[in-house]
Amino acid sequence: MIRKLSHHIIQYTVIFILCFITSNYGRKFQINFRLQPIDYRGQQAISPRYYQGNLTLPCQLEESSSSQRITYYWTHNHQPVQVDHRIVLRNGNLTLKWIQSSDAGSYQCFAVHNYGISASRIATLQLRHLTLPFNQSDKIAVQSLNNGQYARLTCLIPPLTNPLPNSIYWTGSNDNYITVQKHPQLYQSFDDGTLHFALVQPSDSSIYRCHTVFQLYDPMVHKYVTVVNHGQKQKLNISSGANPLISSSPVRVVTAPIDQEVPVGEKSVHFQCVVTGNSSTFQIQWYKSNDFLPIYRYRLSNNRYRLTIVDVRYEDRGQYYCQINDIHGHMIAERKALLTVIALPKWKYSIQDQVISLRQSSFVWHCQATGTNLQYRWYANGDIITNSTKYRSYPHNGTLIIQTLQQSDSKVYTCMSINRFGNIVKSALAQFVYDSPPTFVLRPFAITKWILNRTNKLICQANGFPTPRLSFTKNDQQITSSKLTIIPSNGTLIVHRAELSDEGIYQCIATNQNGSIRIQTKVIIIPSFRLVLNYNSTIIRTGQQIRLTCNIANQQYGLNHSISWSYSNSRIYPSNRMTITANASSSTLAIHHSLFNDTGIYTCHVLSYVDDYGYISNMATATVHIIDIPYLPKNVRMDQIMPRSVTLRWHQQIDSNRPLTKIQIDYQSRSSGKWNQQIISARNFVSPSDTITAILDNLIPYHYYIIKLTMVNTVGQRQINQEYQVATLPDKPTLAPAQFYVSTTGTDFQHLSISWLPLPRQLHYGPNINYRLYYNLYSTNLWRFKEAGDSGHYILKDVISHSKYNLYLVAWNSMGESESKSPIATVTTNNPPPTSLPPFPKLYVIGLSVVRVRFENVWNSADIKISNRNKIYFWQDGAQFSKSTNVILNNLSDIVLHSVQQGRIYKFQLCANGEGGDSQIKRIATVNVTNPVPDRIQDVTFTKQNLSGVLLKWKAPLWLDFKASYQNIEYYRIEYSSPEDPTYARISTVTKFPTYSIDELPEGLYTFTITARGRYGYGVPLDITYDMTYCQNPATPYGLTVKAIDGNNIHLLLQWKTDDQFQGVSFIMQYKVSNSQQEFQNITHNVVNDFRYLVPLHMLNQSKEAYQFRIIAVICSLMSIPSDIAIYKPIVQQPTPTQIFNNLWHIFLPCLTGGTAMITVLLVIYYIIHRRFSYNQSYNRKKSTVYPRESTVSARELITSSCRTRSVVSYNSKDKIYKTSIA
């Protein structure tokens, strides 16, 4: 009665809202469920005895507009659910408290909304019936059997237990677990746990106990609770007497496999076949009818009594059987079982919202799913549809037919597909309407505002039936842009990344077969804006002020902005410590006296309202870290003092509020008084309390140091007040003395004078610094040494006259001798050293690490002899001991030095070097390796242009390293003068191009200096001399001859003579066709420097007439009078075979004709010879005593003279056989 009353109320409610439904056709309705009731069955069945919590069945309709009101109700076993204090309905979810046995069954949810009633899927609630504990009597059940009999022990599970236990196991004496696999005669049933003994033996006498394990599902935590029931003890007494019938015990199937029905995806399915008898007399095999067992997914267990298939698939369906065979393979018994695999329903064609014209008399709706054993059920506004004059449903194919259509048939229809293991539903709204012209239900405003570079919408919706088709135009033109998208379902025009060009007059047009309407709007583009924070991320020291400013970079016109701030997603409001100031385009957040807990992410929010668009939100974030300076180090100590390093250890406290970024170690040597720094990264020191080990290296041995420690982070540093002193250990020297020079001295230059620059105090590295001079005769390898002292000068007298020596110098102290030595110097006694130097070379920086040394104005005199060998020492300023280099120059040519560093200052020292050693006079120059200039130009060529003109060409200089910023030649400077004519003034000029032309240059010898200028000045000059000799008019060539050098007139050889001895003479060859009015034309575009030339005939204009040739000489652009004319007339020849047989057909046709004629002649000859041979045979039979001698005739003779030789016959005297042959 209550159910009927509820349905009547619902029907009246549906009729009341039909007008609202019909006014909304053509749109998508939210009438399906977002959350549907779920099943609690099988392994997830609920046990009321062990689960005392609440059980909630969910039911939620899809999200819809706030104007739609939704009411839910439920049915239990197809009866309305009455809610009370135990059964609660809230927001569609049904909650059951204190679950009772009457709560088991099926549940279905219904949602009443503006468009009708939607039905959910049917959920099943299964309750576990457990009477625990069971079968736990202290009395022991006893079975007495004879040896060799069949026996079984049952678990005695109560019949009402459902579902059955999750697992069952048996224990024997002393509660030892029984492993069935180890006993061939033993088997345990998988469903009820019965323990089968195929043949009992005296050893099976024991006390047995069955244990059942239940996994009880807890829906609150989605976990399982394990409950174990320990059954009654059972005893087997097996007689020990021998049974002669054991070996012949009959084989019998006591438990056969049974038919089963499982869903797809079931974890496992089991078939069992229990057989009694002696296991050594039979074998059990499992098969699948007409197929193989599933590969890799079947298991045989319990001594092959059980077949298990895991991960069940639909293709596993079919008939399985166990076959019992004797040891000879003969079948004893066979048992079969059918496995039915049910596929859960899944939609193939689900129903969708429909709008149907009332012009139709009926409507057919199809609903189809994939699955096994499916049935279909239809609902109309929550009521099950039964066949009547209005409805006709087909449960087997899901078709619904609605007849005699009326507007009141507009309802929510639900199609359900169901089988034994599940069901699915889909709801849709069917609207039955009359035809109508379009009418707008949503109109755009007269002026629509779009935001630049954002996605914008133009909404225009219309109703009517059939559903109107919407289109848009811009400035009366159809919209075709790819960035404009029209969504026909809701009439929305979407513009992706609007541009200024998208402004215009837009029209929305709605059209169906009953009419067309349109509405227009003017679209204007509003520039978008972006936010700029003064910090994206900042670190501030605690106590200081945090000041964040948020600016709107480009304002939107006509818009109001609302700016707010938030910290970690919580809005910030002004307070005593936080202030916010704002104007039309910016806002500033100030936090005074910052604290550690102010660290976090601050967000500036800007909200702007645009008509037709809505609110535009934008945000910018800044990350602020509040920290303080690091803690002071504690317990500083120094150990592992080495000659060049000291190890420091101390205790350092570190936390996130006082991080440590780096460690600064300041140290000072007492001798230098200069403070140095060593920075150590603290990235590896992050623990709250850490012992830090730092190694101070790059120290100088045998020095006293003062050390200070400073802890540094981003906001400041903290330095310990105490200074630490340490003395490094001594070590042997590592460097050699610099500026090592050797020269002869004395009255006859019989002694050697050695000078050097001693090491400074900081490079002694230990006490008692001194120097050791090593020397040997040039021709021997025996080195001797002398202690040279530390004054920087030493006279070596222990030398032999007129002998050549090698010498080098090494520093040493109390710790040992240095491994570095000075460059080896070579000197010959009794030879005076050089007394003078050449002018110091000029230094050019021609690369980032390259210096060119160029000697200029080198001169000698009779009194002062400049040595042909010189020595250059160069070193980096301040590092002459560690990075000194010397170069020996055997002549005064330019050299390029690559072993310098960019940005460093170098000093160069030059002295002359000869057989008597180094000169006493030395010169020093300094160069800064910066601002490189171009190197010398390359490949200078001189070309005479006329009688007195010359053209200079050259190539740009090569850059010795790759730096595009300075590889630019601004211009070239050209200077030239005549050393032979002092009155000729030196001329200097510039050009931007690597060419220079001089129109009037008098005869004589000239010196040219060409210098390239780069970004930082003039580069290395290049000096070159040129002898200018005037050109004269060339003599007329004579003796011109022309002849063909092959028989086919392919090449012509021209030869001539001239009286000119000038090396620059060249020739121009000309020709024309005889008896023509044309002028002579050049054979080639280039001049020829030889007295002969080979002319390919194809270069000339083809003619059968004669050719005329002539030659013109050229010197410095001056031309001679043309030579006499030479005539050549081509020889006309017959077409050559090559010309005839250019075409393949010209070859094939003659060959075919000749071959045919040849075969015909040979056939005729063969016929003649054959007749002759037959005649000779008959003749020779008559004269058998006369044999002709063997003879042969060639085929050529037969062909050319058949009248002279008619047959060719040979006789073999050995075999006495005549034969005919053609050679």
Side-chain angles (χ1 to χ4, degrees):
M1 184 69 182
I2 294 174
R3 181 174 180 272
K4 291 183 178 180
L5 181 60
S6 300
H7 282 190
H8 284 307
I9 294 174
I10 293 169
Q11 288 175 355
Y12 285 121
T13 303
V14 173
I15 294 173
F16 177 75
I17 64 176
L18 275 177
C19 296
F20 180 79
I21 295 177
T22 55
S23 65
N24 288 279
Y25 58 83
R27 55 172 293 184
K28 182 176 178 60
F29 303 97
Q30 306 296 341
I31 59 175
N32 284 284
F33 290 92
R34 180 173 61 91
L35 293 177
Q36 300 218 40
I38 60 176
D39 295 323
Y40 291 96
R41 62 181 179 181
Q43 298 298 327
Q44 295 182 344
I46 306 300
S47 173
R49 179 176 179 181
Y50 287 91
Y51 178 70
Q52 302 297 328
N54 299 336
L55 180 65
T56 300
L57 299 176
C59 180
Q60 289 289 329
L61 206 65
E62 291 178 346
E63 295 181 1
S64 57
S65 62
S66 58
S67 62
Q68 178 169 300
R69 299 185 60 184
I70 305 173
T71 305
Y72 297 92
Y73 69 92
W74 285 75
T75 62
H76 176 214
N77 294 331
H78 306 293
Q79 298 297 322
V81 173
Q82 301 298 324
V83 297
D84 52 22
H85 68 283
R86 194 180 71 85
I87 302 177
V88 180
L89 177 61
R90 180 176 298 171
N91 296 330
N93 300 326
L94 185 67
T95 302
L96 306 177
K97 301 179 180 179
W98 314 298
I99 297 176
Q100 303 173 1
S101 59
S102 60
D103 293 333
S106 62
Y107 288 83
Q108 191 172 13
C109 174
F110 298 87
V112 183
H113 44 77
N114 295 353
Y115 312 109
I117 302 175
S118 300
S120 75
R121 70 180 298 274
I122 298 176
T124 301
L125 173 61
Q126 184 182 17
L127 300 181
R128 275 188 179 270
H129 296 281
L130 300 178
T131 56
L132 297 176
F134 60 83
N135 190 24
Q136 290 189 346
S137 174
D138 293 335
K139 183 178 180 181
I140 299 177
V142 180
Q143 291 188 52
S144 297
L145 299 170
N146 294 325
N147 183 14
Q149 287 186 318
Y150 163 74
R152 68 178 179 180
L153 300 177
T154 59
C155 280
L156 300 179
I157 300 173
L160 295 179
T161 302
N162 184 33
L164 290 173
N166 295 85
S167 62
I168 302 173
Y169 65 93
W170 287 81
T171 57
S173 300
N174 300 325
D175 293 330
N176 293 326
Y177 179 78
I178 296 178
T179 304
V180 179
Q181 296 287 358
K182 296 182 179 180
H183 302 276
Q185 305 289 346
L186 201 59
Y187 174 75
Q188 178 184 325
S189 298
F190 65 88
D191 49 358
D192 58 5
T194 301
L195 194 62
H196 300 267
F197 294 83
L199 288 175
V200 295
Q201 299 175 5
S203 59
D204 295 330
S205 297
S206 181
I207 295 177
Y208 297 88
R209 193 173 191 181
C210 178
H211 307 268
T212 53
V213 181
F214 296 89
Q215 299 285 344
L216 305 182
Y217 181 68
D218 187 344
M220 293 293 292
V221 296
H222 301 288
K223 293 184 179 179
Y224 292 90
V225 179
T226 302
V227 178
V228 181
N229 181 78
H230 306 288
Q232 180 184 2
K233 294 182 179 180
Q234 303 179 51
K235 184 176 182 180
L236 279 181
N237 287 328
I238 311 301
S239 62
S240 58
N243 189 349
L245 300 178
I246 290 180
S247 59
S248 61
S249 177
V251 177
R252 182 167 56 93
V253 179
V254 296
T255 302
I258 60 175
D259 295 342
Q260 298 190 58
E261 190 175 73
V262 296
V264 173
E266 185 76 6
K267 290 184 178 179
S268 61
V269 61
H270 306 276
F271 294 102
Q272 60 184 2
C273 188
V274 182
V275 181
T276 64
N278 190 351
S279 61
S280 62
T281 61
F282 65 87
Q283 294 179 344
I284 300 177
Q285 300 291 338
W286 288 91
Y287 302 97
K288 181 181 180 183
S289 297
N290 302 322
D291 204 350
F292 297 100
L293 294 176
I295 301 176
Y296 304 122
R297 290 190 297 109
Y298 76 91
R299 307 284 186 271
L300 296 178
S301 58
N302 281 48
N303 302 316
R304 303 180 70 88
Y305 291 140
R306 182 186 303 176
L307 169 66
T308 302
I309 300 174
V310 298
D311 187 20
V312 179
R313 302 177 185 176
Y314 187 71
E315 59 267 21
D316 294 337
R317 67 190 186 282
Q319 193 174 57
Y320 294 81
Y321 60 93
C322 66
Q323 190 178 89
I324 298 91
N325 302 324
D326 59 19
I327 58 175
H328 302 292
H330 300 136
M331 186 178 69
I332 301 174
E334 184 179 81
R335 298 294 185 269
K336 299 182 178 181
L338 180 65
L339 175 62
T340 303
V341 180
I342 303 299
L344 297 177
K346 185 177 181 180
W347 286 123
K348 183 178 181 181
Y349 306 112
S350 61
I351 58 175
Q352 304 294 332
D353 296 337
Q354 300 288 336
V355 179
I356 305 99
S357 173
L358 288 174
R359 291 181 179 180
Q360 303 180 90
S361 60
S362 62
F363 172 64
V364 180
W365 217 345
H366 297 286
C367 171
Q368 188 175 357
T370 59
T372 309
N373 300 336
L374 296 179
Q375 293 286 322
Y376 294 90
R377 184 184 302 169
W378 283 85
Y379 295 81
N381 277 345
D383 292 330
I384 297 177
I385 294 177
T386 58
N387 290 334
S388 63
T389 57
K390 170 61 69 174
Y391 299 106
R392 174 72 63 182
S393 65
Y394 297 89
H396 296 290
N397 61 12
T399 300
L400 173 68
I401 301 177
I402 307 175
Q403 303 174 0
T404 315
L405 299 181
Q406 299 176 357
Q407 195 167 5
S408 59
D409 295 330
S410 298
K411 302 176 182 179
V412 174
Y413 292 83
T414 302
C415 176
M416 175 182 290
S417 177
I418 186 171
N419 64 14
R420 176 185 171 186
F421 293 100
N423 61 90
I424 55 176
V425 295
K426 181 65 186 299
S427 298
L429 177 63
Q431 303 177 73
F432 297 91
V433 299
Y434 296 101
D435 289 4
S436 61
T439 57
F440 286 116
V441 293
L442 286 179
R443 302 166 176 261
F445 290 97
I447 297 178
T448 301
K449 298 176 182 178
W450 286 352
I451 309 301
L452 185 67
N453 294 327
R454 293 206 179 190
T455 298
N456 298 266
K457 298 179 181 179
L458 183 63
I459 300 177
C460 174
Q461 294 185 6
N463 276 349
F465 192 82
T467 302
R469 183 177 59 85
L470 294 174
S471 61
F472 292 85
T473 62
K474 174 189 173 184
N475 298 331
D476 297 327
Q477 300 292 327
Q478 196 70 28
I479 294 177
T480 58
S481 176
S482 59
K483 69 176 183 178
L484 301 178
T485 304
I486 300 175
I487 304 178
S489 60
N490 59 12
T492 301
L493 174 66
I494 299 178
V495 182
H496 306 281
R497 297 187 61 84
E499 300 175 356
L500 295 175
S501 59
D502 293 327
E503 287 187 336
I505 304 299
Y506 287 77
Q507 283 191 344
C508 173
I509 305 170
T511 306
N512 67 5
Q513 64 186 22
N514 299 310
S516 176
I517 57 174
R518 64 180 60 202
I519 189 171
Q520 74 175 24
T521 180
K522 181 179 180 181
V523 173
I524 60 174
I525 304 297
I526 298 178
S528 60
F529 68 95
R530 61 185 179 90
L531 301 181
V532 178
L533 279 173
N534 56 337
Y535 299 112
N536 291 327
S537 179
T538 183
I539 299 175
I540 298 175
R541 184 173 180 179
T542 178
Q544 295 181 349
Q545 185 188 64
I546 304 173
R547 190 174 184 86
L548 300 175
T549 301
C550 179
N551 294 297
I552 301 175
N554 44 341
Q555 270 255 47
Q556 292 188 11
Y557 55 89
L559 301 179
N560 292 323
H561 305 288
S562 173
I563 306 176
S564 61
W565 291 86
S566 67
Y567 168 73
S568 298
N569 298 325
S570 298
R571 184 166 180 175
I572 297 176
Y573 296 96
S575 63
N576 293 333
R577 204 168 62 89
M578 298 184 181
T579 59
I580 298 176
T581 58
N583 55 32
S585 61
S586 67
S587 176
T588 300
L589 171 65
I591 302 177
H592 310 281
H593 308 294
S594 59
L595 306 174
F596 289 131
N597 56 10
D598 291 331
T599 297
I601 298 176
Y602 292 81
T603 306
C604 171
H605 303 270
V606 177
L607 197 64
S608 306
Y609 182 78
V610 180
D611 296 336
D612 307 331
Y613 186 89
Y615 285 98
I616 303 173
S617 63
N618 208 336
M619 69 175 67
T621 61
T623 303
V624 178
H625 299 273
I626 309 298
I627 62 174
D628 203 354
I629 59 176
Y631 293 100
L632 281 174
K634 298 179 182 180
N635 303 327
V636 180
R637 63 184 186 276
M638 288 178 287
D639 52 10
Q640 296 184 14
I641 301 175
M642 306 298 290
R644 291 175 174 78
S645 65
V646 175
T647 301
L648 293 88
R649 288 186 174 88
W650 68 90
H651 181 78
Q652 183 70 44
Q653 184 178 356
I654 304 172
D655 58 37
S656 59
N657 295 329
R658 296 174 181 265
L660 182 61
T661 305
K662 59 184 179 181
I663 301 167
Q664 177 180 315
I665 304 177
D666 298 287
Y667 60 98
Q668 180 192 59
S669 171
R670 285 184 180 179
S671 60
S672 66
K674 179 182 177 182
W675 284 97
N676 299 295
Q677 278 188 1
Q678 181 170 325
I679 304 299
I680 299 176
S681 175
R683 289 180 300 177
N684 298 327
F685 310 130
V686 294
S687 60
S689 181
D690 205 342
T691 298
I692 294 180
T693 300
I695 298 177
L696 178 62
D697 51 12
N698 296 325
L699 303 181
I700 302 176
Y702 195 55
H703 273 63
Y704 287 95
Y705 284 93
I706 301 173
I707 300 175
K708 294 181 180 180
L709 287 178
T710 305
M711 306 297 112
V712 183
N713 64 14
T714 309
V715 297
Q717 62 184 24
R718 178 165 290 181
Q719 187 179 65
I720 191 169
N721 295 327
Q722 182 179 356
E723 294 181 350
Y724 303 93
Q725 297 184 4
V726 65
T728 56
L729 300 179
D731 196 4
K732 61 183 180 181
T734 59
L735 302 178
Q739 301 182 28
F740 175 62
Y741 295 104
V742 180
S743 61
T744 57
T745 187
T747 56
D748 294 329
F749 304 103
Q750 72 276 21
H751 304 314
L752 300 180
S753 174
I754 294 96
S755 64
W756 69 92
L757 185 64
L759 294 174
R761 167 65 183 82
Q762 62 269 23
L763 299 181
H764 287 182
Y765 293 174
N768 303 323
I769 189 70
N770 212 318
Y771 299 92
R772 190 166 288 159
L773 177 67
Y774 284 86
Y775 63 99
N776 74 341
L777 285 171
Y778 190 80
S779 59
T780 67
N781 293 323
L782 179 62
W783 288 91
R784 293 185 294 173
F785 68 89
K786 294 285 186 179
E787 299 298 338
D790 60 352
S791 62
H793 187 267
Y794 179 73
I795 300 297
L796 180 62
K797 298 181 179 180
D798 186 15
V799 291
I800 302 173
S801 300
H802 302 284
S803 300
K804 191 174 184 180
Y805 283 90
N806 292 327
L807 304 95
Y808 67 87
L809 200 65
V810 176
W812 66 276
N813 60 18
S814 299
M815 303 303 296
E817 186 179 279
S818 173
E819 295 180 359
S820 299
K821 61 183 180 180
S822 68
I824 295 178
T826 302
V827 64
T828 304
T829 55
N830 299 102
N831 281 285
T835 58
S836 181
L837 286 174
F840 197 85
K842 192 169 184 180
L843 306 175
Y844 295 91
V845 179
I846 59 174
L848 297 180
S849 59
V850 185
V851 173
R852 180 179 287 277
V853 182
R854 184 173 186 269
F855 290 88
E856 297 178 350
N857 302 322
V858 179
W859 52 271
N860 287 322
S861 68
D863 300 329
I864 300 176
K865 183 67 175 177
I866 298 177
S867 174
N868 288 329
R869 189 172 65 191
N870 294 271
K871 180 187 295 185
I872 293 180
Y873 263 104
F874 67 95
W875 62 88
Q876 186 178 323
D877 192 19
Q880 56 185 334
F881 293 97
S882 59
K883 298 181 179 180
S884 180
T885 306
N886 76 342
V887 179
I888 301 296
L889 305 179
N890 292 317
N891 53 55
L892 295 181
S893 61
D894 291 5
I895 61 171
V896 176
L897 304 177
H898 293 268
S899 54
V900 295
Q901 296 182 15
Q902 180 188 7
R904 303 299 175 90
I905 298 175
Y906 283 82
K907 290 189 175 181
F908 290 77
Q909 188 179 68
L910 174 67
C911 75
N913 181 268
E915 295 295 328
D918 302 315
S919 66
Q920 298 297 322
I921 303 175
K922 303 175 179 66
R923 292 193 178 97
I924 296 180
T926 303
V927 64
N928 190 352
V929 186
T930 56
N931 301 336
V933 297
D935 199 1
R936 293 181 301 199
I937 63 172
Q938 306 178 84
D939 301 340
V940 181
T941 60
F942 293 82
T943 304
K944 291 186 178 180
Q945 293 181 304
N946 48 42
L947 185 63
S948 60
V950 65
L951 175 65
L952 284 77
K953 291 185 179 180
W954 60 88
K955 291 183 180 179
L958 293 176
W959 296 94
L960 298 184
D961 44 24
F962 302 96
K963 186 73 173 178
S965 60
Y966 62 79
Q967 293 185 12
N968 181 33
I969 303 299
E970 295 181 356
Y971 55 84
Y972 299 91
R973 181 178 64 190
I974 300 98
E975 299 174 297
Y976 61 96
S977 62
S978 176
E980 297 178 347
D981 185 3
T983 61
Y984 190 85
R986 185 174 181 87
I987 298 177
S988 178
T989 184
V990 295
T991 177
K992 289 186 177 181
F993 306 101
T995 60
Y996 182 67
S997 178
I998 304 175
D999 295 332
E1000 295 290 339
L1001 187 65
E1003 284 188 301
L1005 185 65
Y1006 291 88
T1007 300
F1008 286 82
T1009 302
I1010 306 175
T1011 311
R1013 179 180 176 86
R1015 179 179 179 181
Y1016 300 110
Y1018 283 105
V1020 183
L1022 176 69
D1023 297 328
I1024 189 170
T1025 59
Y1026 176 67
D1027 187 5
M1028 179 64 181
T1029 304
Y1030 281 174
C1031 298
Q1032 299 178 356
N1033 289 328
T1036 302
Y1038 64 93
L1040 176 61
T1041 60
V1042 182
K1043 64 179 180 178
I1045 62 171
D1046 52 29
N1048 297 325
N1049 296 337
I1050 298 177
H1051 293 86
L1052 301 180
L1053 178 62
L1054 278 66
Q1055 291 180 316
W1056 62 91
K1057 298 178 181 179
T1058 181
D1059 293 333
D1060 276 319
Q1061 302 300 322
F1062 191 73
Q1063 295 181 353
V1065 64
S1066 55
F1067 301 93
I1068 298 174
M1069 295 161 294
Q1070 295 180 334
Y1071 84 103
K1072 75 169 187 175
V1073 179
S1074 299
N1075 301 325
S1076 68
Q1077 301 299 323
Q1078 297 178 353
E1079 296 292 333
F1080 277 90
Q1081 56 183 330
N1082 295 340
I1083 296 177
T1084 63
H1085 297 288
N1086 302 322
V1087 295
V1088 178
N1089 297 321
D1090 200 356
F1091 299 103
R1092 54 183 290 167
Y1093 187 74
L1094 194 64
V1095 181
L1097 196 61
H1098 65 82
M1099 294 177 58
L1100 308 178
N1101 294 330
Q1102 298 296 323
S1103 174
K1104 297 181 180 180
E1105 301 294 332
Y1107 294 100
Q1108 296 181 2
F1109 295 90
R1110 70 181 186 183
I1111 305 296
I1112 300 176
V1114 179
I1115 298 179
C1116 299
S1117 302
L1118 301 177
M1119 296 186 181
S1120 69
I1121 299 173
S1123 68
D1124 295 334
I1125 294 174
I1127 299 176
Y1128 175 77
K1129 185 174 183 180
I1131 301 174
V1132 180
Q1133 298 179 353
Q1134 297 297 327
T1136 62
T1138 303
Q1139 296 172 331
I1140 295 176
F1141 295 115
N1142 282 338
N1143 196 320
L1144 292 177
W1145 284 103
H1146 296 165
I1147 301 173
F1148 177 72
L1149 291 177
C1151 291
L1152 180 61
T1153 305
T1156 304
M1158 181 67 71
I1159 292 172
T1160 303
V1161 172
L1162 290 176
L1163 290 175
V1164 172
I1165 295 173
Y1166 176 77
Y1167 176 73
I1168 296 172
I1169 293 173
H1170 182 69
R1171 288 191 59 189
R1172 179 75 177 205
F1173 177 71
S1174 301
Y1175 172 79
N1176 288 340
Q1177 276 189 329
S1178 60
Y1179 176 78
N1180 288 327
R1181 288 192 192 100
K1182 298 178 181 179
K1183 298 182 178 181
S1184 58
T1185 58
V1186 179
Y1187 300 100
R1189 61 181 180 180
E1190 184 176 352
S1191 61
T1192 57
V1193 181
S1194 66
R1196 183 182 300 273
E1197 294 175 347
L1198 293 175
I1199 295 172
T1200 56
S1201 183
S1202 58
C1203 60
R1204 188 172 59 232
T1205 305
R1206 296 181 178 269
S1207 63
V1208 179
V1209 181
S1210 63
Y1211 174 75
N1212 191 328
S1213 59
K1214 182 178 180 181
D1215 298 328
K1216 298 181 180 181
I1217 295 175
Y1218 291 92
K1219 62 180 181 180
T1220 304
S1221 62
I1222 299 176

